[in-house]
Amino acid sequence: MKKVTSWRELTLREKIGQTVIVLSHTDKHIAKCGSIENFLERYPIGGLHCSGAEVKGFHMEANLKFPELVKEYNKHLRVPLVGVADNGFFASSHGINKPIQMALGAAGDPALAYKFGEFQAEDCKHSGINWCYWPNSDMSCSVHDPVTATRATGDDPALVVKMIREQLKAVKDHGVIPCIKHFPGFANDTYVDAHLASIDTNMTFEEWDTTVGEVYRKLFAEYAPAIMVAHHAMPPCQNDAVNGEYPIATLSYDLTTKLLREKLGFKGVTVTDALIMGGFSGADAIENTIRSFMAGNDVLLWPEVEYIDEMERRILAGEIDEKRLDEAVERIWNLKKDAGVLDGVELHSDADEDFFRNITAEITEKGLTLVSDDKHKLPIDRNKVKSVLIVGVTPDNAEYEILTGLVGEFEKYGIKATMRRNGWTDSLAPLVEENDLVLFALSRNVHRPIGPLDFWGPEATTIWASNALPSEKLVVACFGSPYLYRYYHKSRLPYINAYGCSPEAVSAVVRGIVGEIPFSGKTPLKKLI
């Protein structure tokens, strides 16, 4: 299909389509319209979100890669798609568990932040991704927040800006579009996972302006081509309450246009957080999608495609001014142009597995933090410690499997290691007597499983046991939320924060315990409890 050279050549329906990014549910697209070509003729979308599980369904060929999927779609579109992914979760395309933002904050090294930006950009290019919804520029404002506990850099605005700035530079330098998130920031006292339900960012404007707002101002002054708007309200900055309820930022003109664009001066592309999230979707999904666009969001992430039909109807009926659409499409067009999307530039990466693994290991090692060790038990005396009992404490089976790697890591140093999952004092006490060292390995991470980052059931009773047992031989290593220290701040046991569950973190913790590497990280949080 012949491509257009200006967004002004687009039909009304094509312009609306530019504002839409859908999941790569190809089987559903075919089922809806009979073929990919028919689907795109009816719904000329602007972007496709990469997700491995969905790509496997394309033409029933499990080995087809996302770049080929985009090429297939682009055969039927006059404006090339932008390939999109949320690059902040879990494993890379090489199967490597990524370092997390909190590890970078603990390392405090801008050069490492740049390297992590290279990691993310090369990972994107390997998967055919032009635009990644990353880096996460949030501050950790609550000890209870289940999203920012590991995905934020820290709680110091200067540290966040220093680390995010370098990541933005690196992603741009490597030919991928970055996107900071999540405006207007998270609440300063919430247990609620924003994926499950909408929340209020309940700071005063002064608190927000000198912390989160300061981060945004400084990043906007340098390079920030796109920002993701969250399903969070911020009542102190809003005058648009309806029946006493303030709309979330994705639905609020006060936040997304007046505060973000007019007051803070943001000039780039605004994109909503996923519209299938619990804080947004429901019976009014299409109506809310239109409200979201009118509030100031240029790109709509995963809306129902029937939104295109309804938006076209309302513009043709004169209910919505087409000028608002033109403003959004021009910004989207320029974003695609700057990234080479409109010129058909193919992404390519020569980075191999070692490239990604080495960066992961370096960040993990330099972020490794010894939070407490009042009696200076670490590093251990290897002449005295010949056996170790490891107690894995995590509700996630996959993370427990990663933690079992601790056994092999200790055995590299001639230390006999045994491992079990959870336990109560009566079962653990004899094992404590039999071993020279007991390591409680905790892991509680975002979406592993989804929900508040805390412990229940067997994991909770194991925490209880760890505080009831004699403490002389005990060490605690946390491979998840640093705020789990709340269970140990009174006991002052040797406590290590590794900020993520990966083989690299497992190795780093053991090498720290035996004295092969220093605990060089510093807690990037003013308070841990």
Side-chain angles (χ1 to χ4, degrees):
M1 180 175 289
K2 185 178 179 180
K3 307 303 180 186
V4 296
T5 58
S6 167
W7 66 268
R8 298 181 186 279
E9 300 174 37
L10 301 177
T11 66
L12 173 59
R13 198 168 182 84
E14 286 174 323
K15 287 194 294 185
I16 299 169
Q18 286 302 298
T19 69
V20 171
I21 291 176
V22 301
L23 281 164
S24 49
H25 285 161
T26 307
D27 52 347
K28 294 181 180 179
H29 300 165
I30 294 172
K32 188 176 190 68
C33 298
S35 68
I36 293 174
E37 182 177 6
N38 289 346
F39 175 79
L40 295 173
E41 182 178 356
R42 183 174 177 184
Y43 301 111
I45 56 174
L48 201 62
H49 191 282
C50 177
S51 179
E54 287 80 23
V55 173
K56 289 180 181 179
F58 179 56
H59 288 341
M60 304 304 289
E61 294 178 15
N63 63 345
L64 196 63
K65 304 288 187 180
F66 186 70
E68 280 68 46
L69 184 71
V70 172
K71 285 181 182 178
E72 178 64 25
Y73 275 59
N74 278 340
K75 290 178 185 177
H76 313 293
L77 290 166
R78 297 205 298 159
V79 182
L81 290 170
V82 61
V84 180
D86 183 342
N87 230 38
F89 281 110
F90 311 136
S92 73
S93 56
H94 288 74
I96 298 167
N97 281 18
K98 298 176 181 181
I100 55 178
Q101 288 290 127
M102 195 71 77
L104 281 174
D109 184 352
L112 276 182
Y114 189 90
K115 284 187 178 182
F116 193 34
E118 292 181 299
F119 179 115
Q120 296 283 33
E122 292 301 321
D123 188 36
C124 282
K125 291 194 290 186
H126 183 269
S127 303
I129 304 301
N130 311 96
W131 187 11
C132 63
Y133 293 147
W134 183 90
N136 191 317
S137 57
D138 292 318
M139 290 179 56
S140 186
C141 297
S142 170
V143 300
H144 307 300
D145 193 305
V147 175
T148 63
T150 56
R151 295 176 70 196
T153 302
D155 60 9
D156 176 13
L159 175 65
V160 173
V161 170
K162 181 170 70 172
M163 307 306 280
I164 299 302
R165 177 193 293 130
E166 295 303 312
Q167 294 170 67
L168 286 169
K169 289 179 183 176
V171 174
K172 177 188 178 185
D173 291 348
H174 286 255
V176 174
I177 306 165
C179 179
I180 57 176
K181 60 184 184 181
H182 306 78
F183 185 83
F186 282 77
N188 56 5
D189 186 24
T190 182
Y191 285 88
V192 178
D193 186 331
H195 296 85
L196 278 64
S198 60
I199 61 175
D200 285 350
T201 297
N202 53 357
M203 307 178 183
T204 66
F205 178 75
E206 290 72 21
E207 288 173 331
W208 180 87
D209 194 49
T210 56
T211 55
V212 180
E214 182 67 6
V215 169
Y216 288 132
R217 271 191 300 273
K218 289 187 175 179
L219 294 177
F220 295 167
E222 296 187 30
Y223 176 72
I227 189 168
M228 179 174 281
V229 178
H231 306 315
H232 308 167
M234 193 164 71
C237 299
Q238 296 179 251
N239 294 303
D240 51 1
V242 178
N243 297 324
E245 289 290 328
Y246 290 91
I248 54 181
T250 39
L251 297 173
S252 174
Y253 188 86
D254 279 2
L255 294 177
T256 303
T257 296
K258 288 184 177 180
L259 179 59
L260 178 57
R261 288 213 182 274
E262 296 175 5
K263 189 174 181 66
L264 293 179
F266 181 66
K267 304 297 183 186
V269 171
T270 50
V271 54
T272 67
D273 209 337
L275 301 186
I276 61 168
M277 287 167 60
F280 188 92
S281 58
D284 297 326
I286 292 179
E287 180 63 32
N288 282 344
T289 302
I290 291 172
R291 284 182 59 199
S292 183
F293 182 74
M294 297 309 296
N297 293 283
D298 299 324
V299 175
L300 305 157
L301 184 60
W302 311 352
E304 295 181 16
V305 291
E306 288 79 9
Y307 152 78
I308 296 176
D309 300 325
E310 182 60 15
M311 178 61 81
E312 181 184 47
R313 185 194 69 76
R314 295 195 189 187
I315 291 176
L316 291 175
E319 298 173 20
I320 291 176
D321 190 342
E322 193 171 349
K323 180 181 178 182
R324 162 72 189 111
L325 177 63
D326 289 346
E327 291 172 349
V329 173
E330 184 173 15
R331 282 192 284 264
I332 296 164
W333 181 273
N334 290 336
L335 189 77
K336 287 185 173 184
K337 183 177 181 180
D338 290 346
V341 174
L342 300 181
D343 298 323
V345 173
E346 293 193 13
L347 299 173
H348 173 74
S349 174
D350 292 321
D352 59 12
E353 183 176 332
D354 287 343
F355 169 85
F356 297 103
R357 200 167 291 285
N358 290 340
I359 292 175
T360 298
E362 187 176 5
I363 293 172
T364 303
E365 289 174 16
K366 291 189 177 179
L368 194 67
T369 304
L370 185 59
V371 180
S372 63
D373 185 16
D374 286 5
K375 296 183 179 180
H376 306 289
K377 294 180 182 179
L378 298 181
I380 61 171
D381 183 341
R382 281 189 251 171
N383 293 319
K384 296 181 179 179
V385 176
K386 299 298 182 182
S387 64
V388 58
L389 168 68
I390 304 159
V391 183
V393 187
T394 175
D396 186 76
N397 293 333
E399 291 200 340
Y400 181 77
E401 286 302 312
I402 293 172
L403 294 178
T404 61
L406 289 161
V407 173
E409 292 296 327
F410 274 110
E411 291 179 344
K412 288 178 182 179
Y413 299 97
I415 300 172
K416 181 184 177 182
T418 56
M419 186 161 184
R420 61 171 294 157
R421 190 171 189 174
N422 297 325
W424 179 235
T425 50
D426 56 357
S427 62
L428 292 176
L431 300 175
V432 172
E433 286 290 324
E434 295 170 9
N435 288 275
D436 302 320
L437 180 72
V438 179
L439 175 65
F440 283 86
L442 320 180
S443 191
R444 190 69 185 88
N445 280 292
V446 178
H447 290 186
R448 296 289 195 177
I450 196 167
L453 296 190
D454 216 324
F455 290 124
W456 292 267
E459 286 75 38
T461 54
T462 305
I463 299 296
W464 181 349
S466 71
N467 278 309
L469 290 164
S471 63
E472 290 79 9
K473 299 178 180 179
L474 271 54
V475 173
V476 181
C478 181
F479 296 84
S481 167
Y483 294 114
L484 295 175
Y485 182 61
R486 61 180 171 268
Y487 290 112
Y488 296 96
H489 75 284
K490 292 289 188 182
S491 66
R492 304 297 293 178
L493 291 172
Y495 191 98
I496 302 162
N497 265 331
Y499 308 104
C501 192
S502 68
E504 289 75 18
V506 164
S507 174
V509 164
V510 174
R511 284 184 291 145
I513 289 173
V514 302
E516 286 291 310
I517 61 173
F519 293 101
S520 55
K522 295 182 179 180
T523 301
L525 303 162
K526 296 182 180 70
K527 62 178 183 177
L528 278 173
I529 57 174

